[in-house]
Amino acid sequence: MHSRPPRLPGVNLTHDQLFFLNYAQIWCGTMNDKEAIRKLRTSEHSPGPIRVKGPLSNSYDFAKAYNCAPGSRMNPHEKCRVW
């Protein structure tokens, strides 16, 4: 039987929550409007907030980790599934 690993001292998050928090922080950043428009026009990647909110709002694991209410913005009833 496997025991759950201890939580980080002073951090009241589960390991699953830390995983998703790290994913979101990778895409976290600020920029002025001019730079945002330039990136929208030239980058092949979606803007950071879309790269986080899109996949995570469609993730059953994220909703479970953060106990998101069914039908909420981050746990819609209808999720987009590719596989």
Side-chain angles (χ1 to χ4, degrees), residues 7-52:
R7 291 187 177 190
L8 293 173
V11 180
N12 192 27
L13 296 172
T14 67
H15 288 265
D16 288 340
Q17 289 172 328
L18 287 170
F19 171 84
F20 289 115
L21 178 62
N22 179 65
Y23 171 79
Q25 284 182 323
I26 290 170
W27 297 107
C28 183
T30 59
M31 66 183 78
N32 63 37
D33 290 345
K34 186 176 179 180
E35 178 64 9
I37 290 170
R38 186 193 69 76
K39 279 194 157 190
L40 282 171
R41 290 181 176 155
T42 61
S43 179
E44 65 273 10
H45 299 292
S46 300
I50 304 302
R51 292 178 70 94
V52 173

Side-chain angles (χ1 to χ4, degrees), residues 46-63:
S46 300
I50 304 302
R51 292 178 70 94
V52 173
K53 292 176 188 172
L56 295 186
S57 67
N58 285 292
S59 169
Y60 291 101
D61 294 325
F62 174 83

Side-chain angles (χ1 to χ4, degrees), residues 57 63 67-79:
S57 67
N67 197 28
C68 299
S72 66
R73 186 173 184 180
M74 291 306 290
N75 188 16
H77 292 294
E78 293 186 33
K79 296 187 183 328

